Amino acid sequence: DSISLASKFRGCLVGCLLGDCLGAPYEGDYGISKSVLQKYFEKLEGPYFKSPVKQYTDDAAMTKCLAESLIAQEKFDALDIAKRFVKEYFNNPRHGYGQQVVDIFHKLRAQKFEDPFGPAKEQFDGSGSYGNGGAMRVSPLALFCYSNYEELVNLVRRSAELTHTHKQGYDGTILQAIAVHQSLHLDPKETLDVHNFSTQLIQKMSQIEKDCEGLGLDDPYPYQTQLKKMQVLLDKKEDTHDAEVEKTLGTSVAALYSVPTAIFCFLRACTPIPEIDTDNPFRRTVQYAISLGGDTDTIASMAGAIAGAYYGYGIVSENLQKHCEATEQFIEYADKLYKITASK
Ligand code: 8NA
Ligand code: MG
Ligand code: MG
Ligand code: MG
């Protein structure tokens, strides 16, 4: 029988959480040893042992705010989300937030949330942030809009614009949400058509990126460009070296150089990868994402959300879950979002 949608909702949010918690210790590292990472995962996945939980960072903290808002309001409420971001930040400021996004929280609070979208527009001398902070937290909204693609695109863009008003910032958020959405709608019992998955993303991004035509930009279609490069890497007969992935797709905090990378990790990890010894394609996705280095927690979190939405909760190792902070809470969010979505 097929994997239930409720299980896919859980897989998505637990995948998002585990990627963040497991990737955070390596954030900003380069040349992470494959064998060290293999031992790290084997130990955590193996017989349970008591140890302090791996703590989540800004990625899961902001995801939590979005989930809690959607559950409490049963609709998209930008002001409520902004208030929750600020409250969460001032309660736990040491969660590894992006350097500039913190300014927004201070301004929102100082201006008493007069315009929740206002402060984000002033970032980077008015050009807005192109960081991956919108994309890293978007999973709950992708679940909430499971059955309405138009609504998904519109609400996801607005959710991003609370902090990310640069086109690459909110388009990257839309791309991540679309990837989760596609995963939710596929049956993992059937072989994943990797080429079709990426072709569908390119087609959808051609609609999203349409409005930059004729503006005289160097590349008006940056996400389509990166997704096409991703397809070339996926189509290659021989294995792609990590250095080439990093050079071509990137592992930085910019949405353009991390969201396509996360999607690549999910698609590449459907089949075995050298030096990643596991039969579990969910774990392979997360382990591979971390092994690429750079913004490990965020890329692993985004890749984990896409993979979890595809494979469902049952594939996620119980012991890995036990080593991560707030797993029970994320399962509860998924179940509540499922109830709301199913009754819409
Ligand atoms: P953000 O909006 O502060 O953007 C992140 C960074 O991207 C900024 O600090 C800038 O360096 C750069 N940036 C974004 N837009 C522009 C622009 N228009 N012009 C010039 N530079 C720009 O925060 P965010 O929420 O997007 O950040 C998310 C990331 O930060 C996640 O990876 C998260 O985990 C966190 N983080 C990452 C690292 C890391 O080393 N990779 C470290 C700490 C925190
Ligand atoms: Mg993190
Ligand atoms: Mg982080
Ligand atoms: Mg990060």
PDB file of all heavy atoms in Angstrom, residues 39-55:
ATOM      1  N   LYS A  39      31.239   7.930  10.264  1.00  0.00           N
ATOM      2  CA  LYS A  39      31.250   7.468  11.665  1.00  0.00           C
ATOM      3  C   LYS A  39      30.238   8.242  12.511  1.00  0.00           C
ATOM      4  O   LYS A  39      29.573   7.683  13.386  1.00  0.00           O
ATOM      5  CB  LYS A  39      32.661   7.616  12.259  1.00  0.00           C
ATOM      6  CG  LYS A  39      33.637   6.594  11.713  1.00  0.00           C
ATOM      7  CD  LYS A  39      34.935   6.549  12.528  1.00  0.00           C
ATOM      8  CE  LYS A  39      36.009   5.766  11.783  1.00  0.00           C
ATOM      9  NZ  LYS A  39      37.091   6.650  11.255  1.00  0.00           N
ATOM     10  N   TYR A  40      30.142   9.540  12.248  1.00  0.00           N
ATOM     11  CA  TYR A  40      29.183  10.412  12.952  1.00  0.00           C
ATOM     12  C   TYR A  40      27.767   9.881  12.783  1.00  0.00           C
ATOM     13  O   TYR A  40      27.030   9.712  13.760  1.00  0.00           O
ATOM     14  CB  TYR A  40      29.346  11.812  12.360  1.00  0.00           C
ATOM     15  CG  TYR A  40      28.378  12.920  12.744  1.00  0.00           C
ATOM     16  CD1 TYR A  40      28.414  13.518  13.996  1.00  0.00           C
ATOM     17  CD2 TYR A  40      27.476  13.435  11.796  1.00  0.00           C
ATOM     18  CE1 TYR A  40      27.570  14.582  14.306  1.00  0.00           C
ATOM     19  CE2 TYR A  40      26.633  14.503  12.096  1.00  0.00           C
ATOM     20  CZ  TYR A  40      26.681  15.075  13.352  1.00  0.00           C
ATOM     21  OH  TYR A  40      25.857  16.137  13.643  1.00  0.00           O
ATOM     22  N   PHE A  41      27.381   9.568  11.548  1.00  0.00           N
ATOM     23  CA  PHE A  41      26.024   9.067  11.292  1.00  0.00           C
ATOM     24  C   PHE A  41      25.841   7.652  11.842  1.00  0.00           C
ATOM     25  O   PHE A  41      24.788   7.331  12.385  1.00  0.00           O
ATOM     26  CB  PHE A  41      25.698   9.116   9.789  1.00  0.00           C
ATOM     27  CG  PHE A  41      25.112  10.432   9.372  1.00  0.00           C
ATOM     28  CD1 PHE A  41      25.923  11.499   9.014  1.00  0.00           C
ATOM     29  CD2 PHE A  41      23.737  10.628   9.368  1.00  0.00           C
ATOM     30  CE1 PHE A  41      25.392  12.723   8.643  1.00  0.00           C
ATOM     31  CE2 PHE A  41      23.181  11.857   8.997  1.00  0.00           C
ATOM     32  CZ  PHE A  41      24.013  12.899   8.636  1.00  0.00           C
ATOM     33  N   GLU A  42      26.855   6.799  11.684  1.00  0.00           N
ATOM     34  CA  GLU A  42      26.735   5.413  12.169  1.00  0.00           C
ATOM     35  C   GLU A  42      26.532   5.389  13.673  1.00  0.00           C
ATOM     36  O   GLU A  42      25.732   4.626  14.201  1.00  0.00           O
ATOM     37  CB  GLU A  42      27.977   4.602  11.785  1.00  0.00           C
ATOM     38  CG  GLU A  42      27.813   3.937  10.428  1.00  0.00           C
ATOM     39  CD  GLU A  42      29.093   3.293   9.917  1.00  0.00           C
ATOM     40  OE1 GLU A  42      30.056   3.115  10.707  1.00  0.00           O
ATOM     41  OE2 GLU A  42      29.128   2.985   8.717  1.00  0.00           O
ATOM     42  N   LYS A  43      27.276   6.240  14.351  1.00  0.00           N
ATOM     43  CA  LYS A  43      27.174   6.289  15.805  1.00  0.00           C
ATOM     44  C   LYS A  43      25.776   6.745  16.239  1.00  0.00           C
ATOM     45  O   LYS A  43      25.137   6.130  17.100  1.00  0.00           O
ATOM     46  CB  LYS A  43      28.245   7.235  16.364  1.00  0.00           C
ATOM     47  CG  LYS A  43      28.365   7.175  17.869  1.00  0.00           C
ATOM     48  CD  LYS A  43      29.536   7.992  18.399  1.00  0.00           C
ATOM     49  CE  LYS A  43      29.511   7.990  19.920  1.00  0.00           C
ATOM     50  NZ  LYS A  43      30.266   9.106  20.495  1.00  0.00           N
ATOM     51  N   LEU A  44      25.291   7.820  15.617  1.00  0.00           N
ATOM     52  CA  LEU A  44      23.985   8.366  16.001  1.00  0.00           C
ATOM     53  C   LEU A  44      22.833   7.444  15.621  1.00  0.00           C
ATOM     54  O   LEU A  44      21.812   7.385  16.303  1.00  0.00           O
ATOM     55  CB  LEU A  44      23.781   9.743  15.360  1.00  0.00           C
ATOM     56  CG  LEU A  44      24.707  10.869  15.834  1.00  0.00           C
ATOM     57  CD1 LEU A  44      24.505  12.116  14.989  1.00  0.00           C
ATOM     58  CD2 LEU A  44      24.465  11.194  17.310  1.00  0.00           C
ATOM     59  N   GLU A  45      23.012   6.724  14.519  1.00  0.00           N
ATOM     60  CA  GLU A  45      21.954   5.836  14.037  1.00  0.00           C
ATOM     61  C   GLU A  45      21.993   4.479  14.742  1.00  0.00           C
ATOM     62  O   GLU A  45      20.990   3.764  14.795  1.00  0.00           O
ATOM     63  CB  GLU A  45      22.106   5.644  12.520  1.00  0.00           C
ATOM     64  CG  GLU A  45      20.800   5.464  11.800  1.00  0.00           C
ATOM     65  CD  GLU A  45      20.991   5.295  10.299  1.00  0.00           C
ATOM     66  OE1 GLU A  45      21.587   4.283   9.881  1.00  0.00           O
ATOM     67  OE2 GLU A  45      20.558   6.178   9.554  1.00  0.00           O
ATOM     68  N   GLY A  46      23.143   4.141  15.286  1.00  0.00           N
ATOM     69  CA  GLY A  46      23.340   2.842  15.922  1.00  0.00           C
ATOM     70  C   GLY A  46      22.617   2.724  17.247  1.00  0.00           C
ATOM     71  O   GLY A  46      21.773   3.572  17.559  1.00  0.00           O
ATOM     72  N   PRO A  47      22.926   1.690  18.048  1.00  0.00           N
ATOM     73  CA  PRO A  47      22.241   1.489  19.326  1.00  0.00           C
ATOM     74  C   PRO A  47      22.216   2.783  20.129  1.00  0.00           C
ATOM     75  O   PRO A  47      23.236   3.483  20.206  1.00  0.00           O
ATOM     76  CB  PRO A  47      23.102   0.424  20.031  1.00  0.00           C
ATOM     77  CG  PRO A  47      23.851  -0.256  18.945  1.00  0.00           C
ATOM     78  CD  PRO A  47      24.028   0.741  17.835  1.00  0.00           C
ATOM     79  N   TYR A  48      21.059   3.090  20.716  1.00  0.00           N
ATOM     80  CA  TYR A  48      20.891   4.375  21.378  1.00  0.00           C
ATOM     81  C   TYR A  48      21.841   4.538  22.567  1.00  0.00           C
ATOM     82  O   TYR A  48      22.066   3.610  23.334  1.00  0.00           O
ATOM     83  CB  TYR A  48      19.449   4.573  21.848  1.00  0.00           C
ATOM     84  CG  TYR A  48      19.250   5.934  22.465  1.00  0.00           C
ATOM     85  CD1 TYR A  48      19.222   7.071  21.659  1.00  0.00           C
ATOM     86  CD2 TYR A  48      19.158   6.095  23.838  1.00  0.00           C
ATOM     87  CE1 TYR A  48      19.093   8.335  22.213  1.00  0.00           C
ATOM     88  CE2 TYR A  48      19.021   7.363  24.399  1.00  0.00           C
ATOM     89  CZ  TYR A  48      18.999   8.473  23.579  1.00  0.00           C
ATOM     90  OH  TYR A  48      18.886   9.722  24.130  1.00  0.00           O
ATOM     91  N   PHE A  49      22.420   5.695  22.689  1.00  0.00           N
ATOM     92  CA  PHE A  49      23.242   6.034  23.855  1.00  0.00           C
ATOM     93  C   PHE A  49      22.833   7.424  24.326  1.00  0.00           C
ATOM     94  O   PHE A  49      22.382   8.248  23.534  1.00  0.00           O
ATOM     95  CB  PHE A  49      24.734   5.995  23.496  1.00  0.00           C
ATOM     96  CG  PHE A  49      25.122   6.988  22.428  1.00  0.00           C
ATOM     97  CD1 PHE A  49      25.676   8.219  22.753  1.00  0.00           C
ATOM     98  CD2 PHE A  49      24.933   6.680  21.072  1.00  0.00           C
ATOM     99  CE1 PHE A  49      26.008   9.148  21.769  1.00  0.00           C
ATOM    100  CE2 PHE A  49      25.271   7.609  20.079  1.00  0.00           C
ATOM    101  CZ  PHE A  49      25.814   8.830  20.424  1.00  0.00           C
ATOM    102  N   LYS A  50      22.959   7.664  25.612  1.00  0.00           N
ATOM    103  CA  LYS A  50      22.562   8.953  26.171  1.00  0.00           C
ATOM    104  C   LYS A  50      23.622  10.005  25.874  1.00  0.00           C
ATOM    105  O   LYS A  50      24.801   9.779  26.114  1.00  0.00           O
ATOM    106  CB  LYS A  50      22.397   8.808  27.686  1.00  0.00           C
ATOM    107  CG  LYS A  50      20.949   8.888  28.144  1.00  0.00           C
ATOM    108  CD  LYS A  50      20.879   9.076  29.657  1.00  0.00           C
ATOM    109  CE  LYS A  50      19.744  10.001  30.026  1.00  0.00           C
ATOM    110  NZ  LYS A  50      18.456   9.353  30.122  1.00  0.00           N
ATOM    111  N   SER A  51      23.194  11.123  25.345  1.00  0.00           N
ATOM    112  CA  SER A  51      24.122  12.246  25.130  1.00  0.00           C
ATOM    113  C   SER A  51      23.272  13.494  24.938  1.00  0.00           C
ATOM    114  O   SER A  51      22.093  13.392  24.622  1.00  0.00           O
ATOM    115  CB  SER A  51      24.992  11.988  23.897  1.00  0.00           C
ATOM    116  OG  SER A  51      24.231  12.142  22.723  1.00  0.00           O
ATOM    117  N   PRO A  52      23.869  14.683  25.131  1.00  0.00           N
ATOM    118  CA  PRO A  52      23.066  15.903  24.944  1.00  0.00           C
ATOM    119  C   PRO A  52      22.512  15.948  23.516  1.00  0.00           C
ATOM    120  O   PRO A  52      23.226  15.559  22.582  1.00  0.00           O
ATOM    121  CB  PRO A  52      24.088  17.034  25.166  1.00  0.00           C
ATOM    122  CG  PRO A  52      25.262  16.410  25.840  1.00  0.00           C
ATOM    123  CD  PRO A  52      25.279  14.967  25.434  1.00  0.00           C
ATOM    124  N   VAL A  53      21.278  16.402  23.355  1.00  0.00           N
ATOM    125  CA  VAL A  53      20.697  16.433  22.005  1.00  0.00           C
ATOM    126  C   VAL A  53      21.419  17.446  21.125  1.00  0.00           C
ATOM    127  O   VAL A  53      21.952  18.443  21.609  1.00  0.00           O
ATOM    128  CB  VAL A  53      19.181  16.786  22.015  1.00  0.00           C
ATOM    129  CG1 VAL A  53      18.354  15.603  22.468  1.00  0.00           C
ATOM    130  CG2 VAL A  53      18.911  18.050  22.813  1.00  0.00           C
ATOM    131  N   LYS A  54      21.418  17.165  19.835  1.00  0.00           N
ATOM    132  CA  LYS A  54      21.938  18.126  18.852  1.00  0.00           C
ATOM    133  C   LYS A  54      20.919  19.250  18.751  1.00  0.00           C
ATOM    134  O   LYS A  54      19.744  19.005  18.467  1.00  0.00           O
ATOM    135  CB  LYS A  54      22.085  17.463  17.474  1.00  0.00           C
ATOM    136  CG  LYS A  54      22.922  16.208  17.487  1.00  0.00           C
ATOM    137  CD  LYS A  54      24.338  16.514  17.051  1.00  0.00           C
ATOM    138  CE  LYS A  54      25.218  15.302  17.235  1.00  0.00           C
ATOM    139  NZ  LYS A  54      26.460  15.590  17.959  1.00  0.00           N
ATOM    140  N   GLN A  55      21.383  20.468  18.961  1.00  0.00           N
ATOM    141  CA  GLN A  55      20.450  21.591  18.990  1.00  0.00           C
ATOM    142  C   GLN A  55      20.193  22.164  17.607  1.00  0.00           C
ATOM    143  O   GLN A  55      21.095  22.232  16.775  1.00  0.00           O
ATOM    144  CB  GLN A  55      20.999  22.668  19.917  1.00  0.00           C
ATOM    145  CG  GLN A  55      21.022  22.173  21.357  1.00  0.00           C
ATOM    146  CD  GLN A  55      21.455  23.236  22.339  1.00  0.00           C
ATOM    147  OE1 GLN A  55      22.101  24.225  21.976  1.00  0.00           O
ATOM    148  NE2 GLN A  55      21.110  23.033  23.590  1.00  0.00           N
TER     149      GLN A  55
END
